Amino acid sequence: MPRPGRNTYSDQKPPYSYISLTAMAIQSCPDKMLPLSDIYKFIMERFPYYRENTQRWQNSLRHNLSFNDCFIKIPRRPDQPGKGSFWALHPNCGDMFENGSFLRRRKRFKVGGVPVPDPLGPSKPQDAAHFLHQQAKLRLSALHAAAHLPQVPAGYGLGSTQQSGFKHPFAIENIIAREYKVPGGLAAFPAAGYPLHNQLSPAWPHMYGPGVMDPAAPLSVAPADYSAYGMPLKTLCHGGQTLPAIPVPIKPAPGLPAHISAFLAHSPRSLSPTSPQAAAGQGSPAGPAEPLQSAVAVH
DNA sequence: GGGTGTTTACCGTGCC
DNA sequence: GGCACGGTAAACACCC
Protein backbone atom coordinates (compact mmCIF):
# COMPACT_ATOMS: atom_id res chain seq x y z
CA MET A 1 0.00 0.00 0.00
CA PRO A 2 1.51 3.27 -1.05
CA ARG A 3 1.94 5.79 1.63
CA PRO A 4 0.48 9.21 1.32
CA GLY A 5 3.02 11.75 0.43
CA ARG A 6 5.16 9.49 -1.59
CA ASN A 7 6.15 10.28 -5.09
CA THR A 8 3.35 8.80 -7.05
CA TYR A 9 0.67 6.22 -7.16
CA SER A 10 1.22 5.79 -10.83
CA ASP A 11 1.16 2.03 -10.88
CA GLN A 12 0.57 1.41 -7.26
CA LYS A 13 -2.74 1.03 -5.64
CA PRO A 14 -3.96 4.40 -4.47
CA PRO A 15 -4.61 4.69 -0.75
CA TYR A 16 -8.23 5.45 -1.36
CA SER A 17 -11.11 3.17 -0.82
CA TYR A 18 -13.57 2.54 -3.57
CA ILE A 19 -15.98 4.75 -1.74
CA SER A 20 -13.45 7.53 -1.86
CA LEU A 21 -12.65 6.99 -5.50
CA THR A 22 -16.28 6.98 -6.39
CA ALA A 23 -16.88 10.10 -4.39
CA MET A 24 -14.01 11.79 -6.17
CA ALA A 25 -15.43 10.88 -9.53
CA ILE A 26 -18.87 12.11 -8.68
CA GLN A 27 -17.68 15.31 -7.12
CA SER A 28 -15.39 16.03 -10.00
CA CYS A 29 -18.33 16.13 -12.32
CA PRO A 30 -20.19 19.42 -12.67
CA ASP A 31 -23.45 17.61 -12.31
CA LYS A 32 -22.34 15.80 -9.23
CA MET A 33 -23.69 12.66 -10.70
CA LEU A 34 -22.20 10.15 -13.05
CA PRO A 35 -23.17 6.94 -14.70
CA LEU A 36 -21.25 3.93 -13.65
CA SER A 37 -19.28 3.81 -16.84
CA ASP A 38 -18.00 7.32 -16.29
CA ILE A 39 -17.00 6.50 -12.77
CA TYR A 40 -14.97 3.71 -14.23
CA LYS A 41 -13.39 6.07 -16.69
CA PHE A 42 -12.54 8.62 -14.06
CA ILE A 43 -10.77 6.08 -11.92
CA MET A 44 -8.93 4.42 -14.74
CA GLU A 45 -7.73 7.65 -16.21
CA ARG A 46 -6.40 8.99 -12.97
CA PHE A 47 -5.17 5.85 -11.37
CA PRO A 48 -3.34 3.58 -13.77
CA TYR A 49 -3.44 0.89 -11.17
CA TYR A 50 -7.06 0.42 -11.98
CA ARG A 51 -6.48 -0.10 -15.64
CA GLU A 52 -5.82 -3.70 -14.90
CA ASN A 53 -8.00 -6.34 -13.35
CA THR A 54 -10.95 -4.23 -14.23
CA GLN A 55 -13.49 -6.89 -13.48
CA ARG A 56 -12.28 -7.29 -9.98
CA TRP A 57 -12.30 -3.71 -8.84
CA GLN A 58 -15.32 -2.78 -10.86
CA ASN A 59 -17.27 -5.48 -9.18
CA SER A 60 -16.11 -4.15 -5.86
CA LEU A 61 -17.02 -0.68 -6.85
CA ARG A 62 -20.51 -1.69 -7.86
CA HIS A 63 -20.83 -3.48 -4.61
CA ASN A 64 -19.94 -0.32 -2.77
CA LEU A 65 -22.37 1.76 -4.74
CA SER A 66 -25.21 -0.49 -3.82
CA PHE A 67 -24.14 -1.27 -0.34
CA ASN A 68 -23.35 2.17 0.94
CA ASP A 69 -26.11 4.61 1.61
CA CYS A 70 -23.81 7.48 0.82
CA PHE A 71 -24.45 6.84 -2.85
CA ILE A 72 -27.79 7.53 -4.36
CA LYS A 73 -29.06 6.21 -7.62
CA ILE A 74 -30.79 8.58 -9.98
CA PRO A 75 -32.83 6.96 -12.71
CA ARG A 76 -32.48 7.92 -16.31
CA ARG A 77 -35.29 9.55 -18.07
CA PRO A 78 -37.31 7.25 -20.30
CA ASP A 79 -36.48 9.31 -23.35
CA GLN A 80 -32.81 9.20 -22.52
CA PRO A 81 -32.03 5.58 -23.14
CA GLY A 82 -28.87 4.14 -21.88
CA LYS A 83 -27.54 1.57 -19.58
CA GLY A 84 -27.58 2.10 -15.91
CA SER A 85 -28.55 4.96 -13.73
CA PHE A 86 -26.70 7.99 -12.57
CA TRP A 87 -24.98 7.90 -9.25
CA ALA A 88 -24.65 10.82 -6.90
CA LEU A 89 -23.44 11.46 -3.43
CA HIS A 90 -25.88 11.71 -0.63
CA PRO A 91 -25.94 15.36 0.39
CA ASN A 92 -25.54 14.49 4.00
CA CYS A 93 -22.49 12.38 3.56
CA GLY A 94 -20.13 15.29 3.56
CA ASP A 95 -18.88 14.62 7.03
CA MET A 96 -18.54 10.96 6.41
CA PHE A 97 -14.82 11.13 6.16
CA GLU A 98 -12.62 11.84 9.06
CA ASN A 99 -11.49 15.43 8.90
CA GLY A 100 -12.41 15.48 5.30
CA SER A 101 -9.88 12.85 4.51
CA PHE A 102 -10.81 10.34 1.89
CA LEU A 103 -8.42 7.80 3.24
CA ARG A 104 -10.83 6.32 5.65
CA ARG A 105 -14.31 7.11 6.72
CA ARG A 106 -14.91 7.90 10.30
CA LYS A 107 -18.26 6.24 10.20
CA ARG A 108 -20.45 4.45 7.83
CA PHE A 109 -23.05 6.65 6.32
CA LYS A 110 -26.56 5.43 6.88
CA VAL A 111 -29.73 6.87 5.54
CA GLY A 112 -32.26 7.55 8.20
CA GLY A 113 -29.88 8.85 10.73
CA VAL A 114 -30.34 12.44 9.77
CA PRO A 115 -33.82 12.86 8.48
CA VAL A 116 -34.69 16.49 8.15
CA PRO A 117 -38.30 16.71 7.15
CA ASP A 118 -39.10 20.04 5.72
CA PRO A 119 -42.64 21.26 5.41
CA LEU A 120 -41.54 23.73 2.77
CA GLY A 121 -39.68 21.39 0.58
CA PRO A 122 -40.78 18.60 -1.66
CA SER A 123 -40.91 15.25 -0.07
CA LYS A 124 -41.03 13.00 -3.03
CA PRO A 125 -38.05 11.48 -4.71
CA GLN A 126 -39.12 13.08 -7.92
CA ASP A 127 -38.82 16.44 -6.28
CA ALA A 128 -35.30 15.88 -5.18
CA ALA A 129 -34.38 14.57 -8.54
CA HIS A 130 -35.96 17.63 -10.00
CA PHE A 131 -33.94 19.70 -7.63
CA LEU A 132 -30.78 18.15 -8.92
CA HIS A 133 -31.88 18.97 -12.40
CA GLN A 134 -32.48 22.52 -11.44
CA GLN A 135 -29.11 22.75 -9.83
CA ALA A 136 -27.46 21.59 -12.98
CA LYS A 137 -29.43 24.02 -15.06
CA LEU A 138 -28.66 26.78 -12.67
CA ARG A 139 -25.00 26.06 -12.94
CA LEU A 140 -25.19 26.14 -16.67
CA SER A 141 -26.99 29.42 -16.68
CA ALA A 142 -24.51 30.87 -14.29
CA LEU A 143 -21.73 29.56 -16.42
CA HIS A 144 -22.83 31.65 -19.29
CA ALA A 145 -23.17 34.64 -17.04
CA ALA A 146 -19.84 34.01 -15.41
CA ALA A 147 -18.14 34.10 -18.75
CA HIS A 148 -18.55 37.83 -18.52
CA LEU A 149 -17.47 38.17 -14.96
CA PRO A 150 -13.99 39.07 -13.84
CA GLN A 151 -11.99 36.16 -12.66
CA VAL A 152 -11.40 36.00 -8.97
CA PRO A 153 -8.80 33.38 -8.45
CA ALA A 154 -7.56 34.65 -5.15
CA GLY A 155 -7.69 31.97 -2.57
CA TYR A 156 -9.66 29.80 -4.91
CA GLY A 157 -12.71 31.65 -3.81
CA LEU A 158 -12.76 30.36 -0.34
CA GLY A 159 -15.24 32.91 0.75
CA SER A 160 -18.15 30.64 0.33
CA THR A 161 -16.95 28.12 2.78
CA GLN A 162 -18.46 28.47 6.13
CA GLN A 163 -15.68 26.80 7.89
CA SER A 164 -12.06 27.41 8.13
CA GLY A 165 -9.10 25.54 9.34
CA PHE A 166 -6.97 22.74 8.20
CA LYS A 167 -8.40 20.15 5.98
CA HIS A 168 -6.80 16.88 5.45
CA PRO A 169 -4.58 16.67 2.40
CA PHE A 170 -6.67 13.77 1.26
CA ALA A 171 -9.83 15.76 1.25
CA ILE A 172 -11.51 15.60 -2.06
CA GLU A 173 -10.96 19.24 -2.74
CA ASN A 174 -7.29 18.86 -2.22
CA ILE A 175 -7.02 15.72 -4.23
CA ILE A 176 -8.85 17.04 -7.20
CA ALA A 177 -7.59 20.54 -6.84
CA ARG A 178 -4.06 19.35 -7.36
CA GLU A 179 -4.98 18.59 -10.88
CA TYR A 180 -5.41 22.26 -11.43
CA LYS A 181 -1.83 22.86 -10.57
CA VAL A 182 -0.80 22.70 -14.13
CA PRO A 183 1.85 24.95 -15.49
CA GLY A 184 0.12 28.20 -15.82
CA GLY A 185 -2.12 27.50 -12.93
CA LEU A 186 -5.66 28.67 -13.14
CA ALA A 187 -5.01 30.31 -16.43
CA ALA A 188 -5.16 26.89 -17.93
CA PHE A 189 -8.84 26.73 -17.24
CA PRO A 190 -11.88 28.65 -18.21
CA ALA A 191 -12.33 31.83 -16.34
CA ALA A 192 -14.61 32.44 -13.45
CA GLY A 193 -14.68 28.85 -12.47
CA TYR A 194 -14.12 28.97 -8.76
CA PRO A 195 -16.16 32.01 -7.98
CA LEU A 196 -18.91 30.55 -9.97
CA HIS A 197 -18.96 27.46 -7.88
CA ASN A 198 -19.10 29.58 -4.85
CA GLN A 199 -22.11 31.33 -6.13
CA LEU A 200 -23.77 28.11 -6.89
CA SER A 201 -22.84 26.37 -3.76
CA PRO A 202 -25.62 27.27 -1.39
CA ALA A 203 -27.33 24.03 -2.08
CA TRP A 204 -24.51 21.61 -1.60
CA PRO A 205 -21.60 23.72 -0.59
CA HIS A 206 -19.41 20.78 0.15
CA MET A 207 -19.87 19.63 -3.36
CA TYR A 208 -19.65 22.89 -5.15
CA GLY A 209 -16.75 24.03 -3.13
CA PRO A 210 -13.84 25.70 -4.75
CA GLY A 211 -11.43 23.82 -6.81
CA VAL A 212 -13.61 20.83 -7.20
CA MET A 213 -14.20 20.90 -10.87
CA ASP A 214 -13.92 22.85 -13.98
CA PRO A 215 -17.33 24.39 -14.15
CA ALA A 216 -17.25 24.70 -17.85
CA ALA A 217 -16.64 21.05 -18.38
CA PRO A 218 -19.26 19.19 -20.31
CA LEU A 219 -21.98 17.80 -18.23
CA SER A 220 -21.56 14.35 -19.45
CA VAL A 221 -18.17 13.15 -18.56
CA ALA A 222 -16.18 11.44 -21.18
CA PRO A 223 -12.53 10.61 -21.37
CA ALA A 224 -11.97 13.65 -23.48
CA ASP A 225 -13.40 15.78 -20.74
CA TYR A 226 -10.72 14.81 -18.40
CA SER A 227 -7.97 14.99 -20.90
CA ALA A 228 -8.89 18.57 -21.38
CA TYR A 229 -7.35 19.32 -18.05
CA GLY A 230 -5.79 16.00 -17.37
CA MET A 231 -2.30 15.87 -16.22
CA PRO A 232 0.56 13.61 -15.42
CA LEU A 233 -0.15 11.46 -12.51
CA LYS A 234 2.79 12.80 -10.67
CA THR A 235 0.96 16.00 -10.52
CA LEU A 236 -2.10 14.31 -9.30
CA CYS A 237 -0.31 12.53 -6.57
CA HIS A 238 1.22 13.82 -3.47
CA GLY A 239 4.88 13.49 -3.92
CA GLY A 240 6.79 16.69 -3.81
CA GLN A 241 3.74 18.76 -3.34
CA THR A 242 2.92 21.37 -0.88
CA LEU A 243 0.08 20.24 1.26
CA PRO A 244 -2.55 20.98 1.95
CA ALA A 245 -3.21 22.43 -1.41
CA ILE A 246 -6.48 24.02 -0.56
CA PRO A 247 -7.81 24.03 2.96
CA VAL A 248 -11.43 23.62 2.20
CA PRO A 249 -13.98 21.93 4.36
CA ILE A 250 -15.76 19.05 2.85
CA LYS A 251 -18.48 19.06 5.38
CA PRO A 252 -21.75 20.42 4.18
CA ALA A 253 -22.67 23.72 5.58
CA PRO A 254 -25.74 24.07 7.73
CA GLY A 255 -28.83 24.70 5.78
CA LEU A 256 -28.74 21.79 3.45
CA PRO A 257 -31.74 21.97 1.18
CA ALA A 258 -34.44 20.40 3.15
CA HIS A 259 -36.13 18.89 0.19
CA ILE A 260 -33.02 16.93 -0.50
CA SER A 261 -33.06 15.63 2.99
CA ALA A 262 -36.72 14.94 2.68
CA PHE A 263 -36.10 13.22 -0.56
CA LEU A 264 -33.61 11.00 1.05
CA ALA A 265 -35.65 10.47 4.13
CA HIS A 266 -38.65 9.43 2.12
CA SER A 267 -36.83 7.54 -0.49
CA PRO A 268 -37.58 3.93 0.15
CA ARG A 269 -35.05 2.20 -1.88
CA SER A 270 -33.13 3.94 -4.53
CA LEU A 271 -31.20 5.56 -1.76
CA SER A 272 -31.13 2.61 0.50
CA PRO A 273 -29.37 -0.39 -0.85
CA THR A 274 -31.12 -2.82 1.37
CA SER A 275 -34.60 -2.46 0.08
CA PRO A 276 -35.77 -4.65 -2.75
CA GLN A 277 -37.46 -1.78 -4.50
CA ALA A 278 -34.35 -0.34 -5.93
CA ALA A 279 -33.42 -3.46 -7.68
CA ALA A 280 -36.83 -3.84 -9.13
CA GLY A 281 -38.13 -0.38 -9.65
CA GLN A 282 -35.15 1.88 -10.13
CA GLY A 283 -36.02 3.81 -7.06
CA SER A 284 -39.14 5.79 -6.66
CA PRO A 285 -42.29 3.91 -5.88
CA ALA A 286 -44.17 6.43 -7.96
CA GLY A 287 -42.33 5.44 -11.06
CA PRO A 288 -39.18 6.92 -12.52
CA ALA A 289 -38.25 10.09 -10.84
CA GLU A 290 -38.21 13.33 -12.70
CA PRO A 291 -35.11 12.46 -14.55
CA LEU A 292 -31.98 14.41 -14.18
CA GLN A 293 -30.93 13.60 -17.61
CA SER A 294 -32.50 16.77 -18.83
CA ALA A 295 -29.72 18.62 -17.15
CA VAL A 296 -27.24 16.67 -19.13
CA ALA A 297 -29.13 17.37 -22.26
CA VAL A 298 -28.90 21.08 -21.72
CA HIS A 299 -25.66 21.32 -23.49
C1' DG B 1 -24.52 -10.93 -24.56
C1' DG B 2 -22.80 -7.52 -21.89
C1' DG B 3 -23.38 -3.92 -18.67
C1' DT B 4 -25.59 -2.77 -14.55
C1' DG B 5 -27.37 -3.39 -9.91
C1' DT B 6 -28.22 -6.17 -5.68
C1' DT B 7 -27.13 -9.33 -2.30
C1' DT B 8 -24.49 -12.48 0.42
C1' DA B 9 -20.40 -14.22 2.21
C1' DC B 10 -15.76 -14.30 3.68
C1' DC B 11 -11.49 -12.39 5.09
C1' DG B 12 -8.07 -8.77 6.52
C1' DT B 13 -7.13 -4.62 8.99
C1' DG B 14 -7.54 -1.00 12.35
C1' DC B 15 -9.64 0.89 16.39
C1' DC B 16 -11.97 0.59 20.90
C1' DG C 1 -12.01 -9.81 21.49
C1' DG C 2 -15.60 -7.28 19.39
C1' DC C 3 -16.80 -4.14 16.10
C1' DA C 4 -16.60 -1.33 12.00
C1' DC C 5 -14.72 -0.74 7.75
C1' DG C 6 -12.77 -2.13 3.39
C1' DG C 7 -11.75 -5.51 -0.37
C1' DT C 8 -12.95 -9.40 -3.00
C1' DA C 9 -15.63 -13.06 -4.97
C1' DA C 10 -19.71 -14.93 -6.49
C1' DA C 11 -24.39 -15.50 -7.78
C1' DC C 12 -28.40 -13.68 -9.49
C1' DA C 13 -31.69 -10.54 -11.81
C1' DC C 14 -32.71 -6.84 -14.79
C1' DC C 15 -32.22 -4.01 -18.81
C1' DC C 16 -30.44 -2.26 -23.24
Side-chain angles (χ1 to χ4, degrees):
Chain A
M1 188 77 115
R3 293 165 56 183
R6 299 293 292 273
N7 293 333
T8 177
Y9 300 130
S10 55
D11 292 328
Q12 303 176 55
K13 186 173 185 177
Y16 310 115
S17 66
Y18 291 121
I19 297 174
S20 303
L21 293 170
T22 306
M24 290 180 206
I26 293 173
Q27 291 204 20
S28 71
C29 174
D31 275 347
K32 308 306 170 188
M33 61 178 186
L34 283 176
L36 183 64
S37 58
D38 285 338
I39 297 175
Y40 291 158
K41 290 176 185 175
F42 177 93
I43 294 174
M44 284 191 288
E45 288 171 7
R46 302 192 178 215
F47 302 100
Y49 172 85
Y50 291 109
R51 292 170 188 168
E52 299 176 354
N53 301 319
T54 54
Q55 276 216 302
R56 184 170 64 176
W57 68 265
Q58 287 178 355
N59 182 26
S60 297
L61 192 144
R62 290 195 305 271
H63 160 76
N64 276 279
L65 281 172
S66 294
F67 184 75
N68 291 285
D69 287 353
C70 58
F71 298 113
I72 58 179
K73 193 175 68 177
I74 301 169
R76 287 178 184 266
R77 207 168 62 183
D79 60 340
Q80 295 281 343
K83 280 192 174 182
S85 305
F86 286 83
W87 290 94
L89 277 172
H90 194 293
N92 287 347
C93 73
D95 62 347
M96 181 173 62
F97 296 94
E98 184 69 51
N99 198 24
S101 170
F102 269 60
L103 289 176
R104 183 182 175 86
R105 292 189 298 176
R106 62 178 169 185
K107 62 184 174 185
R108 173 169 292 184
F109 180 83
K110 289 298 291 183
V111 168
V114 286
V116 186
D118 180 11
L120 301 177
S123 59
K124 296 195 299 278
Q126 299 95 306
D127 297 328
H130 180 72
F131 168 79
L132 291 175
H133 272 294
Q134 295 303 318
Q135 287 294 304
K137 290 179 178 177
L138 180 63
R139 284 195 298 276
L140 275 179
S141 300
L143 271 174
H144 294 298
H148 303 88
L149 294 177
Q151 187 172 4
V152 188
Y156 293 81
L158 292 174
S160 74
T161 58
Q162 290 78 10
Q163 299 176 354
S164 60
F166 173 78
K167 271 297 153 184
H168 198 283
F170 284 81
I172 182 64
E173 288 87 350
N174 291 339
I175 294 167
I176 298 179
R178 283 187 195 105
E179 304 197 28
Y180 292 86
K181 290 185 174 180
V182 297
L186 293 174
F189 302 93
Y194 300 105
L196 174 59
H197 273 300
N198 292 334
Q199 293 169 7
L200 296 176
S201 62
W204 292 0
H206 65 297
M207 290 185 175
Y208 298 102
V212 171
M213 185 64 181
D214 171 14
L219 288 176
S220 64
V221 179
D225 299 335
Y226 295 116
S227 62
Y229 50 84
M231 50 188 344
L233 282 195
K234 291 191 176 183
T235 311
L236 168 65
C237 302
H238 305 282
Q241 296 194 2
T242 303
L243 300 177
I246 304 174
V248 177
I250 191 172
K251 293 184 63 169
L256 179 74
H259 47 295
I260 286 294
S261 299
F263 164 47
L264 299 166
H266 290 78
S267 178
R269 182 55 195 98
S270 66
L271 313 180
S272 177
T274 51
S275 153
Q277 289 184 349
Q282 298 278 317
S284 165
E290 176 69 24
L292 299 177
Q293 188 70 0
S294 63
V296 178
V298 168
H299 70 294

